[in-house]
Amino acid sequence: MNMEEEKKQEILLMKGNEAVAHAAIRCGCDGYFGYPITPQSEILETLTVEKPWETTGMVVVQAESEVASINMVYGGGSTGKRVMTSSSSPGVALMQEGITYMAGAEVPGLIVNVQRGGPGLGTIQPSQSDYFQSTRGGGNGDYNVIVLAPASVQEMADFVDLSFELAFRYRTPVIMLSDGVIGQMMEKLVLPPFKPRRTDEEVRQQCPWAITGKKGRKNNIITSLELDPHIMEDHNVHLQKKYAEIRAKEVRYEEYMTEDADILIVAFGSASRLAQKAIELCRQEGMRVGMLRPITLWPFPTEAIRKTSTRVKAILSLEINAGQMVEDIRLAVEGRCPVHHYGRMGGIVPTPEEIVEQIKSIK
Amino acid sequence: MKHEIIIAGFGGQGVLSMGKILAYAALFEDKEVTWMPSYGPEQRGGTANVTVIISDERISSPILSQYDTAVILNQPSLDKFEQTLKPGGILIYDPYGISNPPKRKDIRIFRINAMDTVAEMDNVKAYNMLVLGGMLEANPVVENENIVKALRKTLPARHHNLIPLNEAALQKGHEVIEEVKAE
C-alpha cells in the first residue's frame, strides 16, 4: 500500500460525539467520568465500546450523577492527570460548583457541553443558549474558563487535545461548547495521531503543583478555600493576571469572505455552518455578506471584530438563542456600526433561508 | 455537483441506516458528505428523517429547508416534505399507506411499491435497501458497488451473511421503481 492509499484509508465518517471519544483515547487522556444525557450519550457509549482501559489504560467511569462526574474530574486533575467529562446543558448546570472550585484551585480539566434547549430540563434539540453560562463562568466568583466552539466533526476531534494543552498550560478548566447539531451529525474526519498517556514521572516533572506523593518535597495543597481575605485577594490578582495572559495569547477565530463584505455575520459552532449557507445564497444574489467565526468564545475575538466594524455597514449576530454573544459584539464594536441579533430558541434551528431574510431586512 | 437529500418515514423503517449507507458510499467516492438525523422523541413510533448532503465541495449547513431529492415512506412525511422540494426535484414515495399521493406538477415523481415487493420476496428486513435501489435508479448519486461496500462497512461482521439478501433487494429496487404523473 502506498502513502496515498494509506492516507485515504484514515478518512472516516462519524458523529461529532463519537469523534470526541476517539480523540480522547488517542490524545493520551487518562480518564473520562460522565453520566448519560441526550444529545451527547454517544461519547460515553463509544468509550464503553472502545474499552480504552484495555489498550491505553484510560479509565472510563459512568458516574452516579453529573455532580459526581465533575468532582471526579476535580480529583483526577488535582493529580496532574488529563481527565474529562461531558454532558448536555442541564447536566453542565449541575457541574458549575465543581468548575468554579477547579478554577479557584487552578486544576486543569476538560468539560464537553453538547448543548440542548433550555431553560431547565428544556428539550433534547440543539441550542446555543449556554453561551452566558460558559463565558461568564457559570459558578460563583471572579473567574473565566477557556471556551472552544467546534463547528465540525473534525474540530470535535481536534479540540480535545487542544483543550488539554490549554488546560495544563494555564492550569484552568476548558469547556468545549458544542451542540446537538455538531454532536449528532456525521461528517468526514481524520483522527489525530496516537499520543501516549503521560507516565507518572512525566506528570511529576510537568506538573510540580500536582498531588503526586510528597516524597522529597513539601506538601502540595489543592484547595479553593482561603480564610484570610488578603491572601485571597492576592490569589484573585494572580488569577486575573493569568486571564489577561490568556486574553492576549489565545484568541482564535476564522474569517469567511470578509474582504469585501458590507454585512458581517458573527456566528460560532453550528450557527456558523448555517450562516455559511446563507452567505452562499446571498452571494448568488449579489449581496456582499461575510462571516467572522469565533473559535474561542472566551477569550472573545474583541479586537478582530472591532477592526472589522470600521469597514462594514452592519453586523448580524447569529446565535441559536435569545441573544447572548451579541452583548460581547456590542462591547467590541462600541457603536461604530449597528449590531443586530437573530436567533431561534428552545431547540429550533433557523433555516438558511430564514437567515437570508434577516440579512435582507438589514439592507 | 451537489445533492441535497431528505429521507423520511416511520421510525423502524431503516431511514437513518439507509442514509448512513448512502453517506458511506459517497465517502468511498471521495465526496464531501454530511448526515444529519432528526433525533427527537418522534423517533419512537413517529416520524424519523435524515438529511444527507453529497458534494464535490466543502459543505456548509448540514440542515436544509429545500432539497433536490426526497425519499418519502409515510403520509406524515409526504405532507411535510413534498413542499420542500426544489422545482425540478425528485420525489420518490412508497404508496403503501398513502391516501393523499403527491400533487406537485413541477417535480419528477417516482413510485416504488417497496412494502409489497419485500413482502413478496420474503425479505422484509431489506426494505430500506430496496428503496435505496429505487432511489439510485431515479437519481444515481453513487455507484451500486459502493453501496455494497458501505453495507460491509456498516453492518457488524456477525450480520455479513445478510449482505446477499440486501444486494438482491437493492437490485430489485432498481427494477420496480416507476416514474408517474401527479394525480
Side-chain angles (χ1 to χ4, degrees):
Chain A
M1 190 189 301
N2 65 31
M3 289 285 284
E4 192 93 330
E5 276 170 348
E6 206 169 50
K7 217 174 150 196
K8 248 194 210 163
Q9 275 212 327
E10 287 174 0
I11 297 174
L12 301 166
L13 186 68
M14 62 172 74
K15 285 188 172 193
N17 288 336
E18 295 164 344
V20 168
H22 284 282
I25 297 168
R26 283 168 168 258
C27 79
C29 179
D30 295 300
Y32 170 95
F33 313 96
Y35 187 80
I37 179 173
T38 306
Q40 65 80 53
S41 295
E42 291 89 352
I43 299 177
L44 176 56
E45 283 169 15
T46 305
L47 287 169
T48 312
V49 170
E50 291 298 315
K51 296 190 175 73
W53 55 90
E54 289 178 1
T55 51
T56 71
M58 175 185 172
V59 171
V60 179
V61 177
Q62 178 174 332
E64 67 270 34
S65 71
E66 290 85 350
V67 175
S69 308
I70 193 68
N71 282 293
M72 290 175 186
V73 171
Y74 187 14
S78 299
T79 65
K81 297 290 182 184
R82 289 165 74 114
V83 292
M84 66 181 290
T85 183
S86 66
S87 188
S88 181
S89 308
V92 179
L94 281 167
M95 293 181 182
Q96 293 304 325
E97 181 193 52
I99 296 172
T100 179
Y101 276 46
M102 289 171 71
E106 300 194 83
V107 170
L110 168 60
I111 299 104
V112 180
N113 181 359
V114 184
Q115 294 169 95
R116 57 191 245 180
L121 264 185
T123 176
I124 63 173
Q125 311 293 349
S127 175
Q128 297 184 321
S129 50
D130 300 346
Y131 180 89
F132 280 153
Q133 184 201 57
S134 314
T135 58
R136 267 52 180 173
N140 61 300
D142 278 315
Y143 77 97
N144 285 104
V145 299
I146 296 173
V147 184
L148 293 164
S152 62
V153 171
Q154 184 67 57
E155 286 189 345
M156 284 289 263
D158 293 345
F159 286 3
V160 175
D161 187 51
L162 174 63
S163 296
F164 279 123
E165 290 296 321
L166 293 170
F168 277 85
R169 189 177 310 156
Y170 296 102
R171 287 185 59 188
T172 175
V174 173
I175 291 178
M176 264 175 68
L177 191 65
S178 179
D179 64 54
V181 175
I182 307 292
Q184 288 297 324
M185 74 188 280
M186 289 204 303
E187 264 186 323
K188 274 162 73 163
L189 89 161
V190 178
L191 284 174
F194 262 107
K195 184 161 124 179
R197 286 173 54 233
R198 291 192 298 204
T199 63
D200 287 350
E201 190 46 43
E202 283 167 337
V203 170
R204 269 192 289 272
Q205 278 170 6
Q206 293 168 26
C207 309
W209 49 266
I211 303 169
T212 50
K214 72 171 189 113
K215 232 183 269 173
R217 61 161 168 79
K218 70 174 180 57
N219 280 3
N220 279 342
I221 297 171
I222 302 283
T223 181
S224 67
L225 176 71
E226 175 50 62
L227 292 177
D228 182 338
H230 298 291
I231 298 177
M232 196 59 204
E233 184 174 43
D234 287 348
H235 180 57
N236 267 276
V237 169
H238 158 73
L239 288 179
Q240 290 304 320
K241 250 189 216 156
K242 177 169 85 175
Y243 297 148
E245 187 188 345
I246 297 172
R247 277 197 189 95
K249 290 185 184 164
E250 303 299 346
V251 171
R252 287 168 169 79
Y253 61 93
E254 183 183 70
E255 291 187 52
Y256 177 72
M257 301 187 118
T258 54
E259 301 82 13
D260 64 342
D262 293 327
I263 299 207
L264 179 76
I265 299 178
V266 181
F268 69 92
S270 60
S272 73
R273 301 289 294 267
L274 305 167
Q276 240 173 298
K277 179 81 182 182
I279 291 167
E280 287 166 18
L281 297 172
C282 283
R283 294 252 165 194
Q284 281 168 17
E285 294 183 35
M287 293 156 66
R288 293 199 297 247
V289 186
M291 176 174 71
L292 188 146
R293 172 172 80 94
I295 294 170
T296 48
L297 301 181
W298 193 93
F300 192 67
T302 305
E303 220 27 69
I305 291 173
R306 181 171 297 155
K307 268 186 203 145
T308 316
S309 69
T310 58
R311 48 171 223 260
V312 296
K313 289 179 185 152
I315 292 179
L316 175 67
S317 181
L318 179 76
E319 309 167 61
I320 311 176
N321 61 37
Q324 301 189 15
M325 179 175 66
V326 66
E327 293 190 2
D328 286 333
I329 298 169
R330 286 189 178 132
L331 284 171
V333 171
E334 292 179 316
R336 286 180 192 84
C337 72
V339 178
H340 305 271
H341 165 263
Y342 183 68
R344 298 289 298 267
M345 293 169 284
I348 299 292
V349 176
T351 65
E353 288 78 10
E354 223 175 305
I355 300 162
V356 171
E357 286 312 305
Q358 286 299 314
I359 293 164
K360 284 181 179 165
S361 75
I362 292 171
K363 285 201 96 170
Chain B
M1 191 284 311
K2 191 183 209 177
H3 296 287
E4 300 179 328
I5 303 162
I6 179 91
I7 306 168
F10 284 121
Q13 278 177 318
V15 164
L16 297 188
S17 55
M18 179 178 159
K20 193 169 168 179
I21 290 159
L22 183 59
Y24 262 105
L27 185 74
F28 294 134
E29 297 181 12
D30 283 333
K31 305 289 187 198
E32 293 299 321
V33 56
T34 61
W35 174 94
M36 180 73 216
S38 63
Y39 64 89
E42 73 266 23
Q43 279 171 311
R44 300 183 198 117
T47 59
N49 69 70
V50 61
T51 303
V52 177
I53 307 174
I54 299 170
S55 176
D56 288 328
E57 281 157 33
R58 189 178 156 188
I59 297 165
S60 52
S61 176
I63 295 174
L64 303 167
S65 49
Q66 290 188 312
Y67 307 92
D68 302 309
T69 303
V71 180
I72 302 295
L73 304 176
N74 66 8
Q75 187 70 54
S77 300
L78 182 59
D79 296 342
K80 187 170 174 186
F81 291 111
E82 183 180 357
Q83 295 313 314
T84 63
L85 270 172
K86 297 174 194 171
I90 293 174
L91 189 152
I92 295 146
Y93 79 105
D94 182 348
Y96 186 86
I98 296 284
S99 42
N100 298 309
K103 293 180 184 58
R104 276 177 65 179
K105 309 274 188 208
D106 63 339
I107 55 174
R108 292 178 71 195
I109 299 172
F110 291 82
R111 188 166 61 199
I112 180 162
N113 285 304
M115 200 68 93
D116 294 341
T117 309
V118 287
E120 281 163 24
M121 292 171 77
D122 195 20
N123 194 2
V124 194
K125 283 188 174 166
Y127 172 77
N128 59 350
M129 281 302 103
L130 190 116
V131 175
L132 186 55
M135 190 202 110
L136 293 176
E137 181 70 24
N139 189 7
V141 291
V142 293
E143 298 288 336
N144 246 9
E145 60 180 52
N146 287 321
I147 294 287
V148 180
K149 260 175 91 179
L151 268 170
R152 259 187 220 112
K153 179 95 186 166
T154 52
L155 277 178
R158 65 180 188 279
H159 290 146
H160 277 196
N161 58 327
L162 299 174
I163 288 174
L165 281 175
N166 280 285
E167 269 192 86
L170 191 70
Q171 203 47 51
K172 193 77 179 173
H174 278 273
E175 294 161 17
V176 297
I177 193 161
E178 48 180 353
E179 186 160 5
V180 293
K181 288 228 162 16
E183 289 170 20

